[in-house]
Amino acid sequence: QSVLTQPPSVSGAPGQRVTISCTGSSSNLGAHYDVHWYQQLPGRAPKFLIYGNSNRPSGVPDRFSGSKSGTSASLAITGLQAEDEADYYCQSYDSSLDGYVFGTGTKVTVL
Amino acid sequence: EVQLVESGGGLVQPGGSLRLSCAASGFTFSSSWMSWVRQAPGKGLEWVANIKQDGIETYYVDSVRGRFAISRDNAKNSLYLQMDSLRVEDTAVYYCAREHYGGWDYWGQGTLVTVSS
C-alpha cells in the first residue's frame, strides 16, 4: 500500500541538483514518524541512503541529503552523477495501517 | 561484513505453500528486529512482516495476515517466512532485511517467488 506519494520521475544533467518529494498524511509523516530513503539500482537490492529524516549511513556521499517538514519530506541530490541513475523510495510508519509504508518510487534519469 | 542470504523461492501454483529462509552473518542476529520486504515485478517495495528479537512479537501487512508466518531461530542465525494459500498477486522478489531506526540498513539479494498455474 503506497500511502506516500512521490513523483514518478525526475531528471537532471550531470552536476545539477535534483530533489524528490515524498508526500504523506497525518497518520505517517505528520504523526512525527521518521522518513527513510533508499536507492535501488537496476536489478539490485535497495540501499539505505538516508535514515531518521536527514542522517546518512556510513559510506553514503554527502551529495545526498534529506529533510522533513510536516506531512512532507524531500531527498536532494547535488552534483548529480551518472551512477545516481536509479529508483528512489521514501519509507515511514503509518499508524492507521499499523505498519511500515513505502513511497510510490521515483526514477532519476541523468541526462 | 554483514550478509543476508535468502533461499527457498521458486514456482508454485495458486493455493500452494513455500517457505523462505534467510541466513544472517556478520552481526548479532539475536539483537535485531528483522523484516521481509517484497517487490512485485516492475513495481515498488512493500513491507510484508517483521519480528522482534525474541521471536514472540510479529507484525504483518493486511494482505498477508493469516496466510504468512514469520519466524526466527536465533541459534541458527536464521529468519523464515512460511507462505501458505499463495495467490498470483504474491508473485515478487522477497528480501530479508535488518531493521535500523525504523528502516532497514542491510538487505539480502532477494529470492523470487512466482505464483502461477
Side-chain angles (χ1 to χ4, degrees), chain B residues 14 28 70:
Chain B
T28 307
I70 188 172

Side-chain angles (χ1 to χ4, degrees), chain A residues 36 38 40 45 48 91 100 102, chain B residues 39 99 101-105 108:
Chain A
H36 316 285
Y38 302 86
Q40 188 175 33
F48 205 34
Q91 176 256 315
Y100 294 114
F102 282 95
Chain B
Q39 186 170 34
E99 291 195 21
Y101 286 100
W104 298 279
D105 59 350

Side-chain angles (χ1 to χ4, degrees), chain A residues 11-71:
Chain A
S11 61
Q16 283 190 331
R17 178 179 187 270
V18 297
T19 61
I20 301 170
S21 60
C22 174
T23 303
S25 67
S26 59
S27 61
N28 42 69
L29 303 188
H32 307 296
Y33 292 110
D34 285 344
V35 65
H36 316 285
W37 291 89
Y38 302 86
Q39 176 193 59
Q40 188 175 33
L41 297 171
R44 303 292 298 274
K47 173 187 174 181
F48 205 34
L49 198 63
I50 296 287
Y51 70 95
N53 305 320
S54 60
N55 301 290
R56 283 186 306 277
S58 174
V60 173
D62 59 7
R63 303 186 292 104
F64 295 92
S65 62
S67 63
K68 174 177 172 280
S69 178
T71 58

Side-chain angles (χ1 to χ4, degrees), chain B residues 27-50:
Chain B
F27 66 102
T28 307
F29 179 74
S30 59
S31 297
S32 298
W33 280 80
M34 297 295 296
S35 282
W36 289 98
V37 177
R38 68 184 178 183
Q39 186 170 34
K43 302 297 184 182
L45 299 165
E46 181 183 40
W47 168 76
V48 173
N50 68 344

Side-chain angles (χ1 to χ4, degrees), chain B residues 6-111:
Chain B
E6 302 93 338
S7 60
L11 175 63
V12 61
Q13 292 188 336
S17 298
L18 213 53
R19 189 192 195 210
L20 305 183
S21 298
C22 171
S25 61
F27 66 102
T28 307
F29 179 74
S30 59
S31 297
S32 298
W33 280 80
M34 297 295 296
S35 282
W36 289 98
V37 177
R38 68 184 178 183
Q39 186 170 34
K43 302 297 184 182
L45 299 165
E46 181 183 40
W47 168 76
V48 173
N50 68 344
I51 186 167
K52 194 177 178 181
Q53 293 91 330
D54 60 8
I56 296 176
E57 274 188 58
T58 59
Y59 300 91
Y60 300 89
V61 68
D62 283 348
S63 58
V64 308
R65 189 175 294 115
R67 300 188 299 121
F68 289 13
I70 188 172
S71 62
R72 64 192 297 163
D73 185 335
N74 287 340
K76 294 183 177 180
N77 288 339
S78 293
L79 178 72
Y80 306 101
L81 185 67
Q82 176 66 42
M83 304 185 295
D84 298 323
S85 302
L86 281 161
R87 304 168 180 168
V88 171
E89 55 265 34
D90 294 319
T91 294
V93 173
Y94 285 74
Y95 295 101
C96 160
R98 186 181 81 165
E99 291 195 21
H100 181 74
Y101 286 100
W104 298 279
D105 59 350
Y106 288 98
W107 299 63
Q109 85 288 350
T111 188

